[in-house]
Amino acid sequence: MIIRKLRLLNFRNYAQLELSFSPAMNFFYGANAQGKSNLLEALHCLALTRSFRTAADQELLCFGAESGEVVGEYVDERGSEHVLTMLYRREQGKQISLDRKRLSSHAALVGKFPIVLFSPESHRITAGAPAERRRFIDVLLSQGSPIYLADLQEYNRILRQRNALLAEVHTAAPHHANRTLAAWDESLAVYGCKIIQARCQFVQNNAHLLQQAYAHIAASSHSLQLAYRSQFETLPLAAITPSCFQERLGEYRVREKQRGQTLVGPHRDDLELRINGVDLRRFGSRGEHKSAIMALKMMETEYLKLKLNTTPMILLDDLISELDESRARQCVQYFSGRGQLFISAVTKLTDSSWGEAVNFRIHEGIVKMVN
Ligand code: ATP
Ligand code: MG
């Protein structure tokens, strides 16, 4: 999938913008606070219907504007053209249209325009709380499969309801609600198992891609291992069934009522990263974290390409301040040809060994092509 054109209206610090992109490498440079991340954010909003910096769509609107637009023109593998439009209105929320037809479900879009993002916030994937790694795998699997996204949304809906009930039980009526809880248990178990199974399967099938990527970057004998940690990890995949999940819920019943929240399920799981057997999150050096994040992004790119049979858009925000120059160079070399690249940095890359790029200079929300 290639994005040819982007149009912005009242998006962040862009009052109005129209750009045409290279199908290969696009390089944006400019001083701090000029609009580099805002531009990549607009591309991210198109692909995943939401920003990587905020969950509040109103924040995307230019200060004081009542409405705004992000429009992308794409060509797919078969050469067909698509127009994707996000219309933001401060009061009524956003409307998404694909090829001028309004989408009733935003989820339908996820995975159609696959994307991989590397940004200053990516360090949270390896260094942050388990929720950050769950988000990483959830976004990736959702892009790879609309079924996964639908199952995840359903699981989260059931979890919210069950947690609300448990909170009520916790504060008001500890001995009531067993029957109502049991009704939620069944569906929580069904969808919880689907999520755990899909994540475990992903790790089993793709851990070697991560190892390969890490070996490519670290160029040493060190290896990066990926494992899925859950309450069911001692069981073989086929034995993680809804009945076994429900059994576990039974064991946790008293504790769940005491705590007022659901204590069994994929919302408590984690992805574990180890370098030569040593836990990266706790013991990793800064360089090891950086290399691991890059390797994760490479795995993401390979997975999406294989799964969706199309190349993703690859956004590398603030590349050089995040990585040192040699890692940044490796990163660009690796991603070149694996997807349409969008790179931002504070200064222009003058050295042609980075590869052929179309260069854009960004100053106060105005973008000029400078090749
Ligand atoms: P850096 O190199 O520091 O990362 P950047 O070029 O990536 O800088 P952006 O994050 O794109 O900078 O932000 C550019 C400017 O946009 C900032 O000054 C910010 O205050 C401004 N801005 C953010 N949101 C809005 C908004 N909703 N309306 C208008 N301006 C905004
Ligand atoms: Mg930035």
Side-chain angles (χ1 to χ4, degrees), residues 213 216 298 301-302 329-336 338:
H216 178 84
M298 291 171 178
T301 307
E302 291 307 314
R329 202 180 282 271
Q330 266 180 324
C331 197
V332 171
Q333 276 162 3
Y334 179 90
F335 286 115
S336 296
R338 286 184 158 90

Side-chain angles (χ1 to χ4, degrees), residues 121-133:
E121 291 81 14
S122 299
H123 78 273
R124 293 191 201 140
I125 302 170
T126 61
E132 304 286 347
R133 286 175 292 285

Side-chain angles (χ1 to χ4, degrees), residues 36-37 53 317-318 344:
K36 302 181 297 294
S37 299
R53 297 199 287 189
D317 189 20
D318 231 343
S344 82

Side-chain angles (χ1 to χ4, degrees), residues 117-145:
L117 166 74
F118 177 92
S119 76
E121 291 81 14
S122 299
H123 78 273
R124 293 191 201 140
I125 302 170
T126 61
E132 304 286 347
R133 286 175 292 285
R134 289 195 297 271
R135 196 192 334 268
F136 167 78
I137 194 168
D138 285 341
V139 171
L140 180 54
L141 294 185
S142 297
Q143 289 201 77
S145 154

Side-chain angles (χ1 to χ4, degrees), residues 12-13 30-39 53 58-63 317-318 346:
R12 295 281 194 189
N13 68 331
N32 293 136
Q34 302 304 307
K36 302 181 297 294
S37 299
N38 292 348
L39 188 62
R53 297 199 287 189
Q58 302 93 306
E59 288 179 18
L60 303 173
L61 281 174
C62 195
F63 300 142
D317 189 20
D318 231 343
V346 176

Side-chain angles (χ1 to χ4, degrees), residues 25-44:
M25 197 194 302
N26 298 278
F27 187 84
F28 304 94
Y29 69 96
N32 293 136
Q34 302 304 307
K36 302 181 297 294
S37 299
N38 292 348
L39 188 62
L40 299 191
E41 187 180 29
L43 296 172
H44 191 273

